Amino acid sequence: MPTDPVGRFLAALDPDHREAVGAQPRKEQEQLAAAWERELETDDELDTLDELSPSAAEAEAARRVLARGTG
């Protein structure tokens, strides 16, 4: 399992999005990964989901970040 934020973010994505994001410049990948980490840290609903399934929480946070862009 990747330990860097970008690698963890990419691992949380579904295969189609992983490929698309992986093709973006590294700077954009880092911005998305940072937004993903903020989403995981600040959303209380994800805390609850994380207790049940950490990978599901990471995937949901990734989906939300992609849905709204780099925000």
Side-chain angles (χ1 to χ4, degrees):
M1 178 166 170
T3 56
D4 71 291
V6 171
R8 288 181 49 234
F9 173 65
L10 290 172
L13 295 170
D14 64 74
D16 291 336
H17 286 112
R18 185 177 309 128
E19 186 175 326
V21 171
Q24 293 180 2
R26 180 70 181 189
K27 181 79 171 167
E28 290 179 32
Q29 292 177 17
E30 290 171 351
Q31 290 172 342
L32 288 168
W36 174 71
E37 287 187 318
R38 284 190 302 275
E39 185 77 17
L40 285 170
E41 291 172 2
T42 60
D43 192 296
D44 292 337
E45 289 178 16
L46 291 175
D47 285 344
T48 303
L49 181 58
D50 187 53
E51 291 178 16
L52 300 172
S53 175
S55 61
E58 290 181 350
E60 175 60 17
R63 184 194 66 72
R64 292 178 185 183
V65 166
L66 289 181
R68 70 172 178 262
T70 57

